[in-house]
Amino acid sequence: MSGKVWMSSVKSNHALGDKPGVRTKYYGYDWQPAEFIIPLAPDDVHANMRRAGQGFALQREELPEAAAVWNEKRFKLLGDIFYAGGFLVVRGKLAEVFSHFDLGDGGLIPFTIYKADLETPYPGEFSLLNFGAQKNTILPEQSRNVTKFSIHHRTGFQKWEVNSWSEDGDVVLSLAALEGTDIWCEPAIYNKIFMSDPLAQAIIDIGMKDIFRLQECRIAGGAA
């Protein structure tokens, strides 16, 4: 891994889940209704969403079983990454990029999307982005525009939030961030994804820097 790391705010990009025109089926549950107002996910599914957002690799049955396009007009507006049932789905050039990198214990999980009849596969190949790595490399006290977010009432574990007006170099990580997987979550940082420079550059090369809302991080001991 090169000597640079990037932070992504893609999970805060609400456009990826704004009326995508798809309905979702979870294992053990009926299809969601074909409407834009999506009901709250069952408690166990919501717990899986939280775990996925924290960088824990999920088992196949903990992820959505399938999705179906019920509004073609909205679905055709989607790019190579979007939300289906609270989980990220990738396809096309982006899926190809991810396939060349170390995604940890999760990876790309083949995902079937049907047409409105719930039987005919929708054209194309789709994959769930199953996060599967954590690193504990954030140095919040050395970072700028990073504020305390929450503290666990039992363990005392402090979680931090990166302010929306942060800039390149504000977030500082230790040298350990340069080792291991190419994409991961930092348990102490709320709602962010971190990635290696080669992966970030590959995403930039296909024109998706703004979609992923990428910012450069600073490695402790490096240039300010």
Side-chain angles (χ1 to χ4, degrees):
M1 189 180 289
S2 72
K4 185 185 295 186
V5 165
W6 296 71
M7 180 183 70
S8 169
S9 300
V10 67
K11 291 195 290 185
S12 299
N13 188 344
H14 301 298
L16 303 183
D18 182 23
K19 299 180 179 179
V22 298
R23 57 197 293 204
T24 306
K25 185 183 186 309
Y26 304 108
Y27 284 96
Y29 295 95
D30 293 331
W31 283 95
Q32 290 178 330
E35 56 190 33
F36 289 129
I37 300 176
I38 301 173
L40 292 175
D43 288 345
D44 59 332
V45 174
H46 191 261
N48 291 334
M49 290 179 188
R50 280 201 313 273
R51 290 176 56 230
Q54 293 167 351
F56 291 102
L58 301 184
Q59 300 299 312
R60 181 64 189 90
E61 64 274 11
E62 295 175 321
L63 294 160
E65 181 178 353
V69 178
W70 65 270
N71 187 309
E72 288 268 354
K73 183 178 179 181
R74 292 295 306 184
F75 187 72
K76 288 180 178 178
L77 297 176
L78 300 177
D80 280 357
I81 183 169
F82 56 91
Y83 276 103
F87 295 84
L88 284 171
V89 179
V90 297
R91 60 177 170 180
K93 292 181 179 180
L94 181 60
E96 175 67 18
V97 164
F98 277 126
S99 72
H100 295 297
F101 290 90
D102 182 356
L103 308 183
D105 294 330
L108 299 178
I109 308 298
F111 185 57
T112 301
I113 296 183
Y114 294 102
K115 292 187 176 182
D117 63 7
L118 307 181
E119 296 180 356
T120 307
Y122 198 90
E125 295 183 358
F126 304 88
S127 297
L128 291 161
L129 182 55
N130 186 17
F131 297 108
Q134 294 181 327
K135 298 181 186 180
N136 292 285
T137 66
I138 183 71
L139 300 174
E141 302 292 356
Q142 297 184 34
S143 301
R144 298 185 293 263
N145 285 316
V146 175
T147 58
K148 291 182 178 179
F149 178 69
S150 65
I151 187 166
H152 195 281
H153 68 284
R154 288 198 304 270
T155 66
F157 181 76
Q158 178 69 59
K159 208 169 185 70
W160 301 74
E161 182 177 29
V162 180
N163 294 330
S164 60
W165 56 86
S166 65
E167 301 178 348
D168 286 344
D170 279 357
V171 173
V172 182
L173 305 175
S174 71
L175 279 170
L178 302 177
E179 304 298 329
T181 59
D182 288 290
I183 189 168
W184 70 94
C185 296
E186 293 278 339
I189 292 293
Y190 171 71
N191 215 34
K192 303 294 182 184
I193 300 169
F194 294 81
M195 60 183 68
S196 68
D197 185 50
L199 175 54
Q201 292 299 335
I203 288 173
I204 292 169
D205 288 345
I206 61 172
M208 297 189 69
K209 180 179 181 180
D210 290 342
I211 296 294
F212 275 82
R213 300 179 177 178
L214 291 172
Q215 290 179 275
E216 291 184 42
C217 298
R218 184 161 55 89
I219 300 299

